[in-house]
Each structure stands twice: as C-alpha cells, then as structure tokens.
Amino acid sequence: MKKIKRKQKNNHTFCPSRAFHLLLAILMGVNVSARSVSVPQVLDTKVSVSVEEETVESLLKKIESVSEISFVYSKSKVSLVDKISRTYVDKSIKFILTDALPQDVSFGTAQNTVILKKKKQTAPKKVMSFQANGRATGTITDKNGNFLPYATVIALGTRRGTTSDIDGTYSLELPEGSYTLQAKYIGYMDAEIPVTIAGDSTVSANIVLKENATALEETVVYGNLSRGQAKALNEQKNAENFKNVVSYEQFSKYADRNAAEALQRIPGIALSRDQGEGELVSIRGLSPRFNAVQVNGSRIPSPDPDTDRAVGLDLLQADLMESIVVNKTLTPEMDGDAIGGTVNFNLKQAPDKPILNVSASGGFNQQQSEFEDLGKDLQSFSAVLGKRFFNDKLGLIAAGSYYRTNRGSLLNQYLYTDETSLNIEEKRNNDYDVRRVRYGLMFSPDIRFDKKNSLKLLANYNVYDDDEIRRLVDYLVTDGEESRETRNRGEYQKHALYQLSGDHDLSAMDISYRFSYTEAEEEMPYRTYWRFGRDVDYSGLSNDELTNLGVKDNPDTDSQLFLNRVRFDNNLTEDKNYEGRLDIEFPFELIGMENKLKVGGKFRNKNRISDAKRSQLDVDEDVNPFPINGGDFGFINIRANDPEASQVGGLDDFVVDEDRGDGTDYEAEENAVAAYVKLSLGLTEKLSLVTGVRFESTNNKYSAIRADDFNTVNEFTYSNLLPSAQFKYNFDDNTLMRLAYSSGFTRPPFSALIPGPDNIDRDSRRITRRNPELEPSTVNNFDFIFEKYSNNLGVFTVGLFGKFVDNQIQTQRSFTDFEGDLYTVFQSINGENAKAMGVEVSLVHKFLNDGVPFLKWFGVSTNYTYAYTEQKISTIVDDEVVNRTLPFESPKNIFNLGLFYENPKIGLTFTASGVYRDAILIDLGDNELTDFYFGDEFHLDISASQRITKKLSAFVQVNNITDQDEREFFGDPNEDFSRIHQTEGYGFWGSVGLKYEL
C-alpha cells in the first residue's frame, strides 16, 4: 500500500478512529466517504497548485504540501505516472481530482484522507421495452477543453450509440435505468462515465478524453498536426457515407496557398493550375464540371465564363477554413448533380475556449518572365479571433486573410507544317507578368439557447484581383510575318455568402434548416490589346533557330514594327444563388437498436448574367506609325481608357460599348427543387444500411440582355429520380467495409444552352454552335471500400469505384467553309455512354509506437489512384461521322507521397510532399496526332515550423522545388508520335513567417 507523505508541518498525532477508517476503506475497496465524516469537509477544500510536465503523483504531493489532506492508494492497481501541465487557482479538491486523475480511477474520503482506487465497470441495468425513455447529453472534449467532433458514444451492454456533432456535443436516447457510457476517439484513450436515466428527463454527462500518445515509456502531448489528424479520422470513420476529411491543422502544415492546393493531398483528386497556382480539381477520373463545390453546405456559383459550371477554387482562402470534406458517395440528402464528388469547405466556428491566432509572412517568386515590371515579392497575413460569452451561450468568431503574389511565367508554343513534321510553321511566345491579390473575411456569431436549440449566422466575403501584362510575339514563318502584342487586363472576382442555420432537438424529432444567399462575380474591364506587325524574311534561319526564337529576339534588325490594331474587351459575369433547405429526422427503435427516418427538401434559385463586349479598331500604319524595334513592345500596362492611349490617332472612332454580337451574352434563371426520404437502419450490431430516394426538378429559362442578340426565349424543365443504398459493416471498432450504390446527374453547361447565333472567332477560325436541346447526363455509381484505422492516428483504405454515364454531354467537332476559309465548328451534344472505373489506395501511418527510436516522430501519408475512363467522341470530317474512343479530361494515374516529422517535445514540424499526376486530354484535334494533352507533372513542396515560445512559432514554405514546367503535346505524350505543342515555366517560390497562437 502506497502512502504519500506530507511535509513535517502537517503531522498530526495518531488517531485510532482515523486509522480504523483507513484500514476499513482499503480492505473493502470503499470509494465513497465514511459516513461519520461530511464529504464537503475534504472534497470542497480549495487549494492553489501548479504542475508543468509533471506526473499526477507529483500533483497530489503538492496538494498535500498546502493542505491537511493525505492520499492513499495501491500503486500496483492505480497508475499516476501520466505527465500533465495544469494550473489551479482556488479550486476544490473534487474539481482537481475530476480533471487530473486518469479515467479509470475513482476517489472517496475517510476523515482527512482521500482514497484512490481503480474503477469497476458497472453493468447496465436491464430495462423493459415499455419503460419511458430519457436522454443523456453532453460534450466530448480533450483535457485542454478542445471539443472532439464525431466521437463515438455507446451505452455499454446495449445496442445504442451515437456520434458527437461538429461542436463535440452528443445526445443519446435511453430507456430508464443505470448505464455506463463509453466514449471512443481515434488517437485517444477510451473513457467511461456512469449515468442514471429517469423517464422523460435529460441528464448531463460531459466526457473528457486523454491523448493516447505514449512512446518508449514517455508521455507526450499531441502537436497540432496530430490533433487535427485525429479529428479528421474520426469524422471519416463514423460517417454514413465514404468521405475524405482534412482538418485545418493538417493542410496548414503543408505549403498550400489556396483551397484547390489544399485538396491535392486527398486520394483521387487531380489539380490543374493557372501559372503555377492551383485552380480546378477533378475527382476520380471526372472533370471539374462533374463536381459540386460548397461552403458550409451552400453551393458556390461559378463567376468564370470559361469554366462555366466548374468552380475555380483559387478564389477561396484556406486560412478561413476549419476543415475540407470530400464526399465520394452520395446519400439522399446530398445534391444529386455531383457524380464526381462533393467538396465542402467548412469555415471556422466559435471555439469552446478563447483563441487568437495571427500570422505574417513574406517571400519571393523565382519567376521565368523576362520582364519584371510588377516585381517578385510575396506577402501573406491572417488573423483569427474567437470566444464564447454569457456562460457559453453566445459564440463569436472573426477571421481575415490577405495574400499577394507578384509572379511571372514564360510560355513557348510551336506549330508545325503538317501533322507529322517537326518543321516549324509558327513559333509563339507569351511572357506573363502577373500581380495577384486575394483577401477574405468572415464573421460568425452563434447562440446555444440550451443543449437542444441553436442558431448560427455566417458572413463570408472573398476577393481575387488578378492584374496582368502579357507580351506576345508570333513568328509566322510560313507567312513571312511577325506580330507583337501587349495585352493589359484586370480580372476581378468576388464571392459573398450570407447564411442563417438552426438546429432544434425536440422530444420526437430533430429539425435543422439553412437559408443562404451567395453571389459570385467576375469583371474584366478595359482588357486592351495593342498589336504591332511587320514583314520578316526567315529564310536564313535553320529549323533549330526558329524553334529557339525568344520573346526578345529580333530576326530582322533592319525594320521596325508598326501599330496596326487595338482591341478592347469589357466582360462581366454574375451568378447569384438563393437557397433554402429543411431537414427533419425522426429517431425510432427497431429490434433493440436506434434508427432514423429523415425527410427534407431544398430549393435553389440561380440567376446568371454573361455580358461580353468587344470593340476593335484597325489602325492605319501610315497615320499612326508608333514604330517599335524588334524585341520590344509598346504601350506597356496602358489600357484603352488611360490618358496615354489618347496619343493614338483615330481612337475617336473606337466605340467602347459596342456589343460583340456573337451570342455570348445572355441572362439565365435556373430553379432547382429537391425532396428526399432517407432511412438509416441498424440491421445488426455490426451491419447498418442507409437507403432512400431523392427527387430533383430543374427549370431553366434563357433570355437576351439586348434585343438584337436573339429573339427567342428558351425554357425547359427536366426531373431526376435518384435512389441510393449504402451498407456499412464494422468488423471491430477500427475496421469496416462499405458497399454503396447511388445515382446522379449532371446539368448541361450554361453556355451550350444559349438560344442565340454562332460564336465566331475569326482569329482562331473557330465557331462555337449552341444547342438549346441539350439534355442532362445521368450516372450510376458503384463503390466498395475497406477502411482500417489505428489508435496511433493511422488509416489504411482501399476502394474500388465505377461510374457509368448515360446521355454523356460531349463536344462534337466538325469543319465548315466560312467566308472562304476552313473553320472548325464545336458543339455540345448528347453522345453515347461513357464510364470511369478505378481503384484508390491510401495509407497514413505514424511510427510513434513502432519501437524504432529514430523514427518515432516521423510519419508517412501516401495514396495512389488509378482511373480508367472512356467516352466515344464523334467528329464530322468531309460530311462523314468518325467515331473515336478517348479518355475523359482527367489523369489515369495520381500519386501522393508525404513525409512528416512532428516532435512536440522540441516544437518542430516538417513536411515534404510530392504530387504526381499523369497526362490529361484537354482538347480534340482532327485525329490522334493532333489531340491536345497536358503532359505529366511532379511537384515537390516542403514546409517547416519551429516553436520559439509556447505561443510563438516561425515557419518556412517552399513550392515547386522541382521547377516543374507545364507542357502541352500534340497527341498522347505516352505515344512515340507525340510532339511538343507548348511549354510554360513559372519557377519556384517560397516564404518565411511568424505565427502567434493564444
């Protein structure tokens, strides 16, 4: 029997009564106070003590040193070697012991002695099915007060259980009786707490979990990376459907600059870039237009006319997010037009304890541009402030993020004399100098009226400003000409979201609702092109010399170039969503298990405007010579509305508001109404089923912005009935299997449905033809997934997927004679069936408890995706239809490998992550020799952070260490006949900074 001795000043004379009580309590295993002594005399005693990385035993010794209390326990049965860091000021002994003792230790009193013993598991009281039901509610947190979402809570000895919500709260209905609730969380020790349920009443039972992070007989505290990984894995494991979850603590440790780049670490996701920065993502072999993108569950409209329904994610600020969830299988309450997957960005919410996080960094871009008017610097700032008030009923959080980068890239493009030749017909160079500014703000108050009723408001605003100078030189070898053009343009995007949501837990049902307004806009004002030209004799240059002509080269030193054309574009795209949804869930008991019936509906009204204006002035070279030398460019960063432009004579005839007149302007209204029924059944203790059906109806209406664009108004309605079923089988707590079927659809592109005239581009000899009769594609999805989790924050998953598309929307290609020249005609049509099949394998493993000292702080995160896709494309050549079988616009192979080091003892975290993706088909040529492909890419990024003090850390991030170029080919680059079409280089970039966390 171990007795902790007090200091000499606390000695007392021997008391036979006290000794008798101690002996009796120890022999009988008593864990309640002796009846002759009032419990508050001992447990309500208040003291002030502090420990810093010391054992629980040390804490008890310090309590003895400042009080009249002694502690008695059996060292062979009760372990008090866990190290803790605590500061208690004027706290009761009961409070301190409840907070600091291991979950398996109970305590009682006898005189001035506290007796510690190991808990015995209490079996639940058997109850009859006709007894009244009550409810246990509470919050699952760690020892520091951080809430733990998606924890498993079960009543031992029953078939009843639940999971905690995103704020760590849970609610479990139970018949009358006494129970032991057990909470489980990957990476944390299980905890148990007794509860007694009375009929029609609610008992509060908060549960505190302790980190399971012992290694080599040392107790360590999780770092942020591990804690974030624990949250993500628990949500992923306990979900009804198959999803991948990445927490802010995880993706903030990587060198990712925006939302798209944060997604690239997830299995099955491929990233496309815009001058080196992530923009669009494809999921499981399907292009970006097949995905749904949400912020806090509300759909994001797309402001980019080029991507149409696909959403460019470079607009969203990663620093404002709490987590990213990618749903890869659909359940009835989810939008049906997400056959690739649904990406949901959850913004930060008010925490359970005050937070203040501030970061600042600066760096540079090693750009490849030969002109650096806008510089090379990089700047980033962010701040998050949150707290709860009025006994935690009111929560407030505010966050802001600012990111600016000045970057450049150099693009070389090659055209050849025929389909198989390497002889240069045309060499084009684009030199980009770009300044990009992104900033975002969010503010979100929430009210917890009680544990059953809450309201939340959200305001989120993001801005993306992209100013660009592009210098283009076109060496037209066959035509004997040279053209130089400076394009000065701004591209300004914004996204605003305002949302009200509520949750109410009533006695017979749970009700949740959400109303939101979302607006996205892209404005490109004063997009100005200054073009100069001259005749050049290239006969003295070899093919190699033609191939290597640069943006500053001068193949003819005896002549100058003269201004011959000015073009001006003013484009505006607006997309607004009004959205509301209601969900009602009814719990019910069947074969001794709690089940759920959920019904709901959703309405979304979308209004989209596309207004593109273009004016062009052909300048007389004799009147407006403005000569420039070869290798030079004129009117750098001067737009048509700037005062400097007035020196060009003839601009009085330049009508800046002239309509392009090519049918690109329209106003569209889309109303989507959905209703669903969902049934969640526990078939056995290990097998569950989620099934149901969703109905969606879509109405589209198109009208002209100006009367002379087109006279017809196109309106049509279509409906989709979408059944689904998902089985989940738990072999044990951490091993499970999923089998899923779901159906979905994809809406036609906005631009394809315009009932207007052809869009004719004379520069590229390209005609885009509309198709108002286009119908949506439908798809049947099949998934099989195996998941194995470990308590050491690891997971292994392997999944098979198949997506079979009917009525596939594809681009048909044909040729026609227009104004005496051969033009290529593109039109969206409903083609034949298509499919995507593949496999995903993912592994996350920490070596903490593997018994290898050198590796204990290291971990690995890796995944591989193989996707086989197939679609049949029809091309009309010489009035004959030619059918071809091609892949989708997505890579066949994707591979991620991340190595991380996290040592919380010294506060050092390091990550190195490599991402490889295969070639991607991006556009069609006349045949396989002239199809356009992006080449394969491998990007390597590193980041590191070092804790300086408990609250301050320094970090460094470096991107694209491999200096990966973006390459485009004629023909599949895996085939011998492929030829390089263009290359674009943008170098590497990096930054260093400081971060303060309260």
Side-chain angles (χ1 to χ4, degrees):
M1 184 67 61
K2 168 70 175 179
K3 177 165 186 313
I4 300 176
K5 296 182 179 179
R6 295 168 293 160
K7 289 185 178 181
Q8 187 65 34
K9 68 175 184 178
N10 292 323
N11 283 347
H12 294 274
T13 59
F14 176 78
C15 176
S17 174
R18 177 170 176 264
F20 173 78
H21 281 296
L22 286 177
L23 180 60
L24 182 63
I26 294 170
L27 292 176
M28 299 185 64
V30 175
N31 60 356
V32 295
S33 300
R35 294 192 179 275
S36 61
V37 180
S38 175
V39 173
Q41 273 187 311
V42 177
L43 297 183
D44 289 352
T45 302
K46 293 185 178 181
V47 296
S48 297
V49 290
S50 177
V51 289
E52 181 70 27
E53 280 297 304
E54 299 175 61
T55 64
V56 177
E57 187 176 39
S58 298
L59 173 65
L60 301 186
K61 290 180 180 179
K62 290 189 176 182
I63 294 175
E64 287 191 324
S65 70
V66 296
S67 71
E68 298 294 325
I69 296 170
S70 298
F71 295 94
V72 175
Y73 68 97
S74 172
K75 194 170 185 181
S76 63
K77 296 180 179 180
V78 176
S79 175
L80 301 178
V81 297
D82 289 350
K83 290 184 179 179
I84 59 174
S85 296
R86 297 284 199 282
T87 298
Y88 301 106
V89 179
D90 199 26
K91 296 294 184 181
S92 69
I93 299 298
K94 182 179 180 180
F95 177 91
I96 297 173
L97 296 181
T98 302
D99 179 67
L101 287 179
Q103 293 290 329
D104 61 348
V105 176
S106 63
F107 57 89
T109 63
Q111 297 284 0
N112 287 339
T113 301
V114 177
I115 306 162
L116 309 181
K117 67 180 290 290
K118 191 174 181 65
K119 286 182 180 177
K120 291 182 180 180
Q121 181 171 313
T122 50
K125 179 180 178 181
K126 300 297 183 180
V127 295
M128 301 298 292
S129 59
F130 57 79
Q131 287 180 298
N133 287 344
R135 189 172 292 271
T137 64
T139 304
I140 313 296
T141 62
D142 65 13
K143 61 184 180 181
N144 295 317
N146 300 304
F147 56 78
L148 299 178
Y150 310 105
T152 301
V153 182
I154 60 174
L156 292 177
T158 74
R159 304 172 73 180
R160 294 175 180 267
T162 187
T163 57
S164 61
D165 292 331
I166 193 170
D167 60 355
T169 61
Y170 75 93
S171 178
L172 180 61
E173 184 176 349
L174 293 167
E176 279 188 295
S178 296
Y179 301 88
T180 295
L181 299 184
Q182 184 184 67
K184 291 176 173 289
Y185 206 71
I186 295 175
Y188 286 70
M189 297 172 60
D190 296 349
E192 297 175 5
I193 184 171
V195 296
T196 299
I197 303 296
D200 297 324
S201 66
T202 298
V203 61
S204 179
N206 297 326
I207 305 177
V208 179
L209 301 183
K210 297 187 177 182
E211 298 164 351
N212 181 28
T214 56
L216 303 180
E217 300 181 353
E218 296 177 273
T219 301
V220 299
V221 179
Y222 283 165
N224 286 336
L225 181 60
S226 295
R227 186 173 293 111
Q229 188 174 334
K231 291 181 180 180
L233 291 181
N234 279 277
E235 179 178 356
Q236 186 172 310
K237 185 191 78 167
N238 292 321
E240 291 182 322
N241 66 317
F242 179 52
K243 62 170 67 171
N244 293 114
V245 184
V246 184
S247 69
Y248 173 76
E249 291 92 341
Q250 287 175 276
F251 62 73
S252 65
K253 296 300 181 183
Y254 289 92
D256 299 326
R257 303 294 180 173
N258 59 43
E261 293 174 3
L263 278 167
Q264 67 181 320
R265 318 293 174 187
I266 295 177
I269 291 185
L271 185 66
S272 63
R273 300 174 184 270
D274 178 22
Q275 290 166 328
E277 293 187 309
E279 180 184 19
L280 297 169
V281 296
S282 64
I283 302 177
R284 287 179 151 192
L286 299 181
S287 64
R289 66 185 177 90
F290 290 102
N291 307 323
V293 180
Q294 303 171 339
V295 171
N296 272 36
S298 295
R299 289 290 287 266
I300 302 177
S302 171
D304 191 339
D306 295 329
T307 61
D308 209 276
R309 287 193 183 271
V311 178
L313 302 180
D314 49 353
L315 170 64
L316 301 177
Q317 306 298 302
D319 285 337
L320 304 184
M321 297 171 189
E322 186 70 28
S323 67
I324 304 174
V325 179
V326 180
N327 290 289
K328 294 181 177 176
T329 61
L330 300 177
T331 52
E333 76 272 26
M334 298 180 185
D335 289 341
D337 59 333
I339 61 178
T342 298
V343 181
N344 186 32
F345 298 99
N346 292 312
L347 298 180
K348 295 183 183 299
Q349 60 179 5
D352 280 3
K353 64 175 186 176
I355 62 169
L356 173 60
N357 299 339
V358 180
S359 70
S361 66
F364 78 100
N365 292 283
Q366 186 265 324
Q367 58 187 2
Q368 296 193 14
S369 169
E370 297 196 32
F371 305 90
E372 298 174 6
D373 296 75
L374 301 180
K376 292 185 176 183
D377 65 294
L378 184 156
Q379 301 175 28
S380 180
F381 307 93
S382 68
V384 181
L385 176 64
K387 189 178 180 181
R388 302 205 70 85
F389 302 88
F390 307 118
N391 200 24
D392 292 341
K393 290 186 178 296
L394 173 64
L396 295 175
I397 189 165
S401 176
Y402 176 89
Y403 177 66
R404 188 183 84 174
T405 176
N406 293 329
R407 58 194 306 113
S409 63
L410 185 60
L411 183 148
N412 294 285
Q413 190 175 81
Y414 310 89
L415 297 176
Y416 305 96
T417 54
D418 58 55
E419 293 181 353
T420 59
S421 172
L422 292 176
N423 293 321
I424 295 296
E425 177 187 52
E426 180 179 344
K427 170 65 187 300
R428 175 178 294 183
N429 298 294
N430 287 280
D431 194 302
Y432 296 93
D433 199 14
V434 184
R435 171 171 293 159
R436 288 176 173 166
V437 175
R438 299 181 181 90
Y439 59 89
L441 300 169
M442 68 154 290
F443 176 72
S444 181
D446 70 81
I447 301 176
R448 297 177 183 171
F449 300 100
D450 50 42
K451 290 185 178 296
K452 295 184 177 182
N453 299 280
S454 63
L455 282 177
K456 181 178 179 180
L457 288 170
L458 170 66
N460 176 224
Y461 187 73
N462 294 280
V463 171
Y464 172 37
D465 290 346
D466 184 294
D467 287 284
E468 179 183 278
I469 304 170
R470 186 200 68 178
R471 303 167 183 82
L472 178 149
V473 56
D474 203 351
Y475 299 109
L476 301 159
V477 177
T478 303
D479 295 336
E481 298 175 357
E482 178 185 346
S483 176
R484 288 181 176 267
E485 182 179 80
T486 301
R487 181 182 71 187
N488 305 293
R489 69 114 171 102
E491 178 181 306
Y492 309 121
Q493 292 184 3
K494 69 176 183 180
H495 169 264
L497 168 64
Y498 307 98
Q499 186 183 89
L500 168 67
S501 59
D503 290 283
H504 304 280
D505 183 1
L506 307 181
S507 58
M509 69 186 75
D510 295 335
I511 298 176
S512 63
Y513 47 85
R514 183 174 66 238
F515 305 98
S516 63
Y517 168 74
T518 314
E519 178 183 3
E521 177 183 289
E522 178 183 88
E523 185 179 10
M524 290 190 289
Y526 312 118
R527 184 172 181 147
T528 306
Y529 303 76
W530 304 93
R531 191 181 71 182
F532 297 77
R534 66 175 174 177
D535 295 330
V536 174
D537 182 7
Y538 296 98
S539 59
L541 299 177
S542 67
N543 194 64
D544 287 343
E545 290 173 321
L546 294 172
T547 302
N548 294 320
L549 282 173
V551 68
K552 287 187 174 183
D553 288 337
N554 183 8
D556 186 350
T557 58
D558 296 329
S559 64
Q560 293 181 309
L561 294 92
F562 296 87
L563 181 68
N564 56 37
R565 192 189 72 180
V566 182
R567 197 177 89 188
F568 170 78
D569 288 347
N570 190 349
N571 302 334
L572 175 66
T573 303
E574 291 182 343
D575 200 329
K576 300 177 181 178
N577 283 353
Y578 300 86
E579 187 175 287
R581 69 174 294 160
L582 173 67
D583 303 277
I584 305 175
E585 186 174 80
F586 302 91
F588 65 95
E589 184 177 330
L590 184 66
I591 59 174
M593 302 188 68
E594 185 176 357
N595 305 280
K596 298 174 183 177
L597 173 66
K598 192 173 184 180
V599 297
K602 181 178 179 179
F603 171 76
R604 183 176 72 244
N605 170 259
K606 175 186 288 292
N607 289 278
R608 185 178 177 91
I609 295 176
S610 178
D611 188 3
K613 301 174 183 177
R614 171 174 293 176
S615 300
Q616 184 168 303
L617 177 67
D618 293 325
V619 180
D620 188 342
E621 295 182 2
D622 295 331
V623 177
N624 300 279
F626 289 101
I628 61 172
N629 296 321
D632 293 335
F633 294 86
F635 297 100
I636 300 298
N637 207 16
I638 296 176
R639 303 179 190 180
N641 64 319
D642 291 337
E644 297 90 336
S646 61
Q647 59 184 299
V648 180
L651 281 188
D652 293 339
D653 300 325
F654 193 90
V655 182
V656 297
D657 287 329
E658 181 183 339
D659 182 19
R660 291 175 64 170
D662 54 11
T664 58
D665 303 328
Y666 65 90
E667 182 173 359
E669 181 178 357
E670 181 176 270
N671 292 312
V673 180
Y676 73 89
V677 177
K678 173 186 171 184
L679 189 61
S680 301
L681 293 174
L683 303 180
T684 70
E685 289 188 4
K686 294 186 175 182
L687 179 63
S688 61
L689 168 65
V690 177
T691 186
V693 64
R694 183 181 183 88
F695 173 80
E696 289 204 28
S697 178
T698 307
N699 174 265
N700 288 90
K701 183 178 180 179
Y702 283 76
S703 57
I705 295 178
R706 284 167 288 275
D708 56 350
D709 283 348
F710 53 87
N711 297 319
T712 60
V713 175
N714 193 47
E715 182 174 4
F716 54 92
T717 300
Y718 54 89
S719 301
N720 298 91
L721 191 65
L722 309 171
S724 64
Q726 304 201 37
F727 290 91
K728 179 181 177 182
Y729 184 83
N730 289 84
F731 296 97
D732 54 43
D733 287 339
N734 290 329
T735 309
L736 60 97
M737 177 183 68
R738 304 177 193 266
L739 181 64
Y741 162 77
S742 63
S743 53
F745 69 102
T746 181
R747 294 183 171 94
F750 291 110
S751 57
L753 298 173
I754 304 171
D758 294 342
N759 180 356
I760 302 170
D761 189 336
R762 289 173 172 80
D763 288 339
S764 60
R765 296 181 181 178
R766 180 185 180 115
I767 297 175
T768 302
R769 187 157 292 160
R770 314 302 176 184
N771 185 3
E773 304 301 321
L774 200 62
E775 297 179 355
S777 302
T778 59
V779 64
N780 290 296
N781 305 294
F782 299 90
D783 291 88
F784 172 81
I785 303 103
F786 173 81
E787 302 173 49
K788 176 68 175 178
Y789 297 84
S790 72
N791 283 327
N792 197 26
L793 300 181
V795 60
F796 169 75
T797 65
V798 58
L800 304 175
F801 61 87
K803 299 177 182 294
F804 301 91
V805 185
D806 296 325
N807 222 18
Q808 159 74 344
I809 298 174
Q810 58 184 226
T811 302
Q812 185 186 65
R813 185 184 181 92
S814 60
F815 304 92
T816 188
D817 184 271
F818 180 76
E819 296 179 347
D821 293 313
L822 184 66
Y823 275 65
T824 306
V825 181
F826 297 88
Q827 184 179 33
S828 294
I829 64 168
N830 289 117
E832 300 188 40
N833 297 343
K835 59 186 176 184
M837 299 180 294
V839 59
E840 288 179 357
V841 182
S842 174
L843 173 67
V844 178
H845 181 73
K846 292 172 67 75
F847 299 101
L848 188 63
N849 293 323
D850 288 352
V852 183
F854 172 75
L855 293 176
K856 70 175 183 178
W857 303 120
F858 285 91
V860 61
S861 174
T862 183
N863 59 74
Y864 168 74
T865 303
Y866 172 82
Y868 172 79
T869 61
E870 179 181 291
Q871 60 178 332
K872 292 184 178 180
I873 301 295
S874 62
T875 302
I876 301 176
V877 181
D878 297 330
D879 296 326
E880 294 185 4
V881 177
V882 178
N883 291 319
R884 304 172 58 201
T885 300
L886 291 167
F888 284 166
E889 301 86 354
S890 59
K892 182 180 291 185
N893 296 282
I894 308 170
F895 178 68
N896 269 276
L897 177 61
L899 299 175
F900 57 89
Y901 175 89
E902 185 183 30
N903 186 341
K905 286 184 173 293
I906 61 174
L908 175 63
T909 301
F910 174 84
T911 61
S913 53
V915 180
Y916 171 84
R917 66 146 180 82
D918 214 343
I920 303 177
L921 174 70
I922 55 174
D923 204 353
L924 297 179
D926 300 341
N927 51 53
E928 66 177 1
L929 299 176
T930 55
D931 290 333
F932 295 92
Y933 283 81
F934 278 139
D936 61 346
E937 294 184 3
F938 176 70
H939 289 261
L940 178 62
D941 308 319
I942 63 171
S943 63
S945 65
Q946 174 62 60
R947 187 179 66 231
I948 301 173
T949 68
K950 290 184 65 175
K951 299 178 181 180
L952 183 66
S953 60
F955 62 89
V956 60
Q957 296 178 332
V958 183
N959 295 79
N960 197 29
I961 297 174
T962 50
D963 196 15
Q964 175 67 62
D965 287 352
E966 184 177 277
R967 298 163 299 150
E968 189 175 313
F969 292 86
F970 288 115
D972 187 343
N974 296 313
E975 302 292 342
D976 294 337
F977 56 74
S978 67
R979 298 168 298 164
I980 191 71
H981 173 48
Q982 69 180 37
T983 63
E984 182 176 14
Y986 35 78
F988 67 87
W989 56 98
S991 62
V992 296
L994 294 173
K995 187 171 186 177
Y996 175 86
E997 295 180 299
L998 180 64

